Amino acid sequence: MSDFIQAGRDEPRWPPVVAILAVFALLEVLPHHVYAMPRWVSYAVLGAAIVPMIMVTVSTDNAVWLRIEHVAIMLLASVYAGNTAAELGDMVGIITVHPPATRSVSLLTSSFTIWITNVLTFSLLYWQIDAGGPSRIARGMAGKPDWLFPQASAPELAPPDWRPLYLDYLSLAFNTATAFSPTDVLPLTRRAKGLMMLESAISLLTLVLVAARAVNVIP
């Protein structure tokens, strides 16, 4: 594969749709976690992100829907990032101001929702900004990649038309939030490095400050 990500057919949109719906379903069943914004905002942003992805799949002329999809997912990620920061601030406030022994379950479930939402948010961001995003790749307008995947550095081990899909970015986001550092995928640009640093910082703060404190006060 060359230095530029190769153009090709639109990738399937069902993996990111399933990921978003799974996270929302999980947030609904977890008890007592803190909401930093009205729940209807989450549902509105969810619909605004999923509808364009569905239209990209079913539309015969999807150039417009690809652009709408890019804007909608970036909006979703921005809202999630702001919500994550607000929830994390609430958790720190609970620990420092209120007696944590009475809020142990809320702390634990809220820290888990922050962590998993963090992974989802950054997986969508990575997917949308790498080489200009899937919309530019599908139209043959991809730029230089922001991340170096192993298949690109060892093309003899990958199919000739290989290119990263959403699940590759989901794995990247999961590893970044778990290991707090690059694993098999290397950031090439400053914005990629900055985003990975931010994701690692949120994950580290969530696990060390909030989740650890919640576990300590559980009876």
Side-chain angles (χ1 to χ4, degrees), residues 149-162:
F149 287 84
Q151 292 86 345
S153 57
E156 69 278 3
L157 302 178
D161 58 348
W162 186 91

Side-chain angles (χ1 to χ4, degrees), residues 91-110:
M91 295 301 97
V92 174
I94 291 174
I95 292 174
T96 57
V97 178
H98 303 288
T102 61
R103 304 290 299 274
S104 57
V105 175
S106 178
L107 282 174
L108 191 59
T109 57
S110 295

Side-chain angles (χ1 to χ4, degrees), residues 57-100:
T57 303
V58 301
S59 176
T60 55
D61 184 14
N62 58 11
V64 174
W65 285 110
L66 284 169
R67 290 192 289 269
I68 296 175
E69 175 195 63
H70 179 77
V71 173
I73 292 179
M74 295 300 290
L75 175 63
L76 173 68
S78 300
V79 171
Y80 273 19
N83 185 64
T84 297
E87 288 183 352
L88 194 55
D90 287 342
M91 295 301 97
V92 174
I94 291 174
I95 292 174
T96 57
V97 178
H98 303 288

Side-chain angles (χ1 to χ4, degrees), residues 30-176:
L30 282 176
H32 308 302
H33 62 276
V34 173
Y35 288 94
M37 63 181 180
R39 298 175 71 174
W40 67 266
V41 176
S42 298
Y43 295 128
V45 177
L46 169 68
I50 288 182
V51 169
M53 285 192 279
I54 295 175
M55 294 306 299
V56 166
T57 303
V58 301
S59 176
T60 55
D61 184 14
N62 58 11
V64 174
W65 285 110
L66 284 169
R67 290 192 289 269
I68 296 175
E69 175 195 63
H70 179 77
V71 173
I73 292 179
M74 295 300 290
L75 175 63
L76 173 68
S78 300
V79 171
Y80 273 19
N83 185 64
T84 297
E87 288 183 352
L88 194 55
D90 287 342
M91 295 301 97
V92 174
I94 291 174
I95 292 174
T96 57
V97 178
H98 303 288
T102 61
R103 304 290 299 274
S104 57
V105 175
S106 178
L107 282 174
L108 191 59
T109 57
S110 295
S111 62
F112 181 72
T113 61
I114 291 172
W115 188 88
I116 194 169
T117 304
N118 187 40
V119 172
L120 174 67
T121 298
F122 281 91
S123 69
L124 293 171
L125 279 175
Y126 298 158
W127 179 50
Q128 284 296 317
I129 72 170
D130 189 23
S135 61
R136 293 180 64 87
I137 294 174
R139 288 180 288 166
M141 300 168 58
K144 290 185 177 180
D146 291 87
W147 284 271
L148 178 63
F149 287 84
Q151 292 86 345
S153 57
E156 69 278 3
L157 302 178
D161 58 348
W162 186 91
R163 62 186 175 98
L165 304 180
Y166 173 74
L167 289 179
D168 298 294
Y169 298 105
L170 181 61
S171 175
L172 169 62
F174 179 85
N175 291 335
T176 302

Side-chain angles (χ1 to χ4, degrees), residues 2 10 21 26 68 96 140 177 181 187:
S2 67
D10 291 345
L21 292 177
L26 183 62
I68 296 175
T96 57
S181 63

